[in-house]
Amino acid sequence: EPCGHAPEPTTMRAALSLLLVSTTVDAFSVSGLGVVRPARAATPAMQTIAPERESTIPDSLPSSWTVPDTFSLADLKRPSRAEPPMYRLTLFRSGDAVHMANALLDVIPLEKEKAVEVADTAARVGLSLVGVWEQGLCETYSEELRRGYNIACDVSKAE
């Protein structure tokens, strides 16, 4: 074709048709009886190098910021109930040691040896520590000993 002349329309159509067929054949493969399937694409590769980015994290936090502790093992523990205050029951001399020992055994779950020891000490010295319990239980024991057995006792806070 001479320079400066427009190509003939049939030549232009042929070139366009050839271009169209070549791109279509690249994108699809023909197999079987006229079934057209997309051509198998190349397996995508994973990018292994990240592009350089400017850091958006400041070098240090302003002094006015406080960062709370968002994870603490203490938070995972069940909330423990505070230990209830403990009270002591003191037995005062109230009759003979046998009477006091029997009363202690009837009211308070004690070993026989412990009840006899507490009653003997109260009979000799004038008073004896029976035990230490929570306030409600200690007051119940004291009331039962006073009412049912006429035994003098005291409930006081253990320190």
Side-chain angles (χ1 to χ4, degrees):
E1 294 178 9
C3 218
H5 291 327
E8 291 183 26
T10 54
T11 309
M12 183 64 98
R13 272 192 215 127
L16 283 174
S17 295
L18 184 60
L19 179 64
L20 182 62
V21 168
S22 69
T23 57
T24 303
V25 170
D26 285 347
F28 294 93
S29 65
V30 179
S31 65
L33 301 171
V35 178
V36 177
R37 293 190 179 110
R40 200 168 173 182
T43 306
M46 183 166 60
Q47 181 177 353
T48 57
I49 300 176
E52 290 291 325
R53 292 186 184 165
E54 229 178 275
S55 174
T56 57
I57 301 172
D59 291 338
S60 64
L61 295 174
S63 62
S64 62
W65 286 14
T66 57
V67 180
D69 182 14
T70 57
F71 179 77
S72 171
L73 291 178
D75 295 342
L76 298 177
K77 290 191 329 185
R78 292 183 186 152
S80 61
R81 289 183 257 167
E83 291 283 325
M86 301 303 281
Y87 287 78
R88 64 180 159 224
L89 177 63
T90 305
L91 179 71
F92 296 104
R93 183 182 307 135
S94 305
D96 65 355
V98 174
H99 172 69
M100 290 187 291
N102 286 332
L104 289 173
L105 288 171
D106 288 346
V107 174
I108 303 170
L110 292 175
E111 302 268 334
K112 184 177 180 180
E113 295 79 24
K114 171 75 174 171
V116 169
E117 178 187 334
V118 169
D120 284 343
T121 304
R124 281 185 292 108
V125 179
L127 63 108
S128 181
L129 175 66
V130 179
V132 179
W133 295 278
E134 291 180 10
Q135 183 178 10
L137 187 57
C138 202
E139 288 176 352
T140 301
Y141 291 156
S142 174
E143 283 298 311
E144 194 64 32
L145 289 169
R146 282 186 196 138
R147 278 197 221 153
Y149 298 92
N150 199 27
I151 293 182
C153 35
D154 177 60
V155 174
S156 59
K157 192 167 185 175
E159 296 178 18

